[in-house]
Amino acid sequence: MEVSTLTSNGKFNFQPQSDDGPFIPVTVEMYERFLFVVKVIIIPALCILGMVGNGVGLVVLRQDSRLHSHNFHVYMCGLMLSHMAASVTNLLFGIPNIINIYDYYMANFLLQNMRPIAIYLTKLFDNFAACILLMMSAERLMSLLQPLTFRNTWVLKFSRIILLVGFLLISVVLLPFPLCCSPLKFVNSENKTEYRFAERSLFWKDFMNQFVFIASIVQYFIFPLCILFVNCGIPIAFYRYNKLCIVTIHADVQRSQQQSKLTILVVCIVVLYLVMSIPNMFGLTLDFFNDEYSFSGRYAHIFYFFGCITTVLTHLNYACDCMIYIFSIRRFRRRIQELCCKHCFSLSSATQGTSMTIKHTGISTVSGISSDNLSTNK
């Protein structure tokens, strides 16, 4: 049985009458081992995969001149650049986690000094990617609802300007993250210097409590819900578009296939983004309803456990989006084969040539032996 109370900060706190521990069997020791594996092994590997995948995707997209004037090209370029920059940023800022294995104090110095910029850049790229996904979804929906006049809408005519303004706006709005805190130096019990992350003043502490809450709601609830709302209308609009093409418009097959592929591609990318946002949404919801699972509560490791899972899924999303984009369209798959498999064909040709030479030499040798045998018999 649970007792519901309303705390002073406006949260509903459901407190069980008997303390049976956290609702999932994850101890602090288990979380720390999981966190170590994630920071030292999984995140660097996913960052490298995201860098390489998005780099190849940008090369393929740049070589495809037929999409240079298409709005989808602009959105995918922005999304891949955002994911690639996030992968590079997280890989660089993850170096102190590896140094920590060998030198704790050097890792502590680097980590606490890099932390404000790391948080700022990570949130900047993640929010910008969500903004791009929202615009891609809106563009797909309008192209299906108004197939003849959608190119005259402001979202398509000023897409580059909208993305630039959105990036600058997000950059300014998130500035409190690097400005509010600074590394604080202190001497520990072993008489050695350490650093910790602290607010610059009491004003920043009170302000950031509210700001972080609002920023989290926008990033992990409002953006996903808006994207989900727009994409819920895409299947209906897609069915209506196909029916309209058959009955009245009689659009050519190539254009209809292109619309279908782009629509399916956007839906797949969006679904992947929404699925990978679920753990953090669940953790923040748990934090809102129960202070014991907040970042400073008794079961704070459960809150950070869900955040850690979300971090892994986010980095996996960086690598998967470009893969979905590359391998979902035939001409991109063909370009990838041309870029990555040229040496395979050369090696195959060389192998075939060597095999033919060996076979020819073998036949000649056998023929020579046979001739000698015939001469001897005579």
Side-chain angles (χ1 to χ4, degrees):
M1 183 175 179
E2 294 179 340
V3 179
S4 175
T5 58
L6 183 64
T7 60
S8 58
N9 57 359
K11 293 184 179 181
F12 287 99
N13 192 13
F14 294 92
Q15 297 178 347
Q17 290 184 349
S18 61
D19 185 14
D20 297 328
F23 71 98
I24 57 174
V26 176
T27 63
V28 177
E29 292 77 14
M30 293 171 59
Y31 163 71
E32 289 177 350
R33 288 197 297 268
F34 176 69
L35 183 64
F36 175 81
V37 174
V38 167
K39 287 185 174 181
V40 177
I41 300 175
I42 298 178
I43 295 299
L46 291 177
C47 286
I48 294 173
L49 184 62
M51 291 165 53
V52 174
N54 286 284
V56 173
L58 287 171
V59 171
V60 173
L61 192 61
R62 182 179 177 83
Q63 291 183 356
D64 195 347
S65 58
R66 286 174 293 180
L67 283 181
H68 284 183
S69 60
H70 201 284
N71 258 2
F72 190 78
H73 174 271
V74 177
Y75 296 139
M76 285 307 302
C77 272
L79 190 64
M80 288 184 183
L81 286 173
S82 177
H83 286 169
M84 189 175 182
S87 298
V88 173
T89 300
N90 290 314
L91 182 63
L92 293 177
F93 290 135
I95 293 176
N97 296 317
I98 302 176
I99 297 176
N100 188 44
I101 302 174
Y102 307 99
D103 191 337
Y104 167 78
Y105 292 101
M106 179 180 291
N108 173 259
F109 171 77
L110 293 174
L111 186 62
Q112 299 302 325
N113 281 275
M114 295 164 62
R115 188 177 174 185
I117 301 298
I119 294 174
Y120 172 72
L121 292 179
T122 301
K123 289 190 173 292
L124 171 62
F125 294 133
D126 288 347
N127 281 278
F128 183 59
C131 182
I132 293 176
L133 288 177
L134 182 60
M135 290 189 62
M136 288 175 65
S137 302
E139 187 266 345
R140 282 291 90 204
L141 183 61
M142 284 188 288
S143 67
L144 296 172
L145 292 176
Q146 302 175 351
L148 298 179
T149 60
F150 80 100
R151 294 187 182 277
N152 296 324
T153 57
W154 58 273
V155 175
L156 274 77
K157 293 175 68 174
F158 307 105
S159 58
R160 291 176 174 82
I161 297 176
I162 294 173
L163 287 179
L164 179 60
V165 172
F167 182 79
L168 294 176
L169 183 62
I170 295 172
S171 303
V172 174
V173 170
L174 295 178
L175 279 177
F177 281 106
L179 297 178
C180 71
C181 301
S182 62
L184 181 63
K185 183 167 62 174
F186 67 97
V187 179
N188 60 14
S189 58
E190 298 178 358
N191 201 25
K192 293 184 178 181
T193 303
E194 281 192 50
Y195 295 85
R196 66 181 179 87
F197 204 54
E199 289 82 2
R200 296 181 185 272
S201 64
L202 185 61
F203 164 77
W204 280 111
K205 184 176 182 179
D206 297 335
F207 174 78
M208 290 305 294
N209 286 336
Q210 304 298 324
F211 182 78
V212 170
F213 175 75
I214 296 173
S216 300
I217 292 295
V218 171
Q219 181 177 354
Y220 299 113
F221 285 94
I222 294 181
F223 266 134
L225 291 177
C226 289
I227 294 172
L228 178 63
F229 176 76
V230 173
N231 279 270
C232 284
I234 289 181
I236 301 173
F238 184 65
Y239 172 78
R240 177 180 176 272
Y241 170 80
N242 286 333
K243 187 176 180 180
L244 190 64
C245 286
I246 295 173
V247 176
T248 58
I249 299 179
H250 300 291
D252 58 294
V253 178
Q254 184 177 1
R255 179 181 176 183
S256 180
Q257 289 179 348
Q258 184 182 15
Q259 282 280 55
S260 301
K261 289 180 179 179
L262 292 180
T263 302
I264 294 172
L265 177 60
V266 171
V267 171
C268 289
I269 293 175
V270 167
V271 168
L272 185 65
Y273 165 79
L274 293 174
V275 169
M276 294 187 175
S277 300
I278 291 176
N280 215 3
M281 295 174 67
F282 182 77
L284 291 172
T285 304
L286 194 64
D287 170 33
F288 180 77
F289 284 104
N290 195 334
D291 285 336
E292 291 186 344
Y293 292 94
S294 66
F295 61 89
S296 59
R298 179 167 50 169
Y299 302 129
H301 67 282
I302 301 296
F303 174 80
Y304 291 116
F305 176 73
F306 283 108
C308 194
I309 293 176
T310 302
T311 301
V312 174
L313 295 179
T314 300
H315 285 79
L316 184 62
N317 188 29
Y318 295 158
C320 288
D321 281 352
C322 59
M323 299 301 177
I324 293 174
Y325 172 65
I326 291 170
F327 292 105
S328 63
I329 302 178
R330 183 181 303 173
R331 61 175 178 271
F332 294 158
R333 291 198 300 267
R334 190 164 56 246
R335 289 184 181 276
I336 286 294
Q337 292 174 357
E338 292 174 359
L339 289 173
C340 300
C341 300
K342 285 181 179 180
H343 66 282
C344 297
F345 294 109
S346 301
L347 183 62
S348 177
S349 301
T351 304
Q352 290 177 0
T354 305
S355 177
M356 291 294 292
T357 303
I358 293 173
K359 290 181 179 179
H360 180 72
T361 305
I363 293 172
S364 300
T365 305
V366 172
S367 300
I369 293 173
S370 301
S371 301
D372 291 341
N373 291 335
L374 288 174
S375 301
T376 303
N377 292 332
K378 289 180 180 179

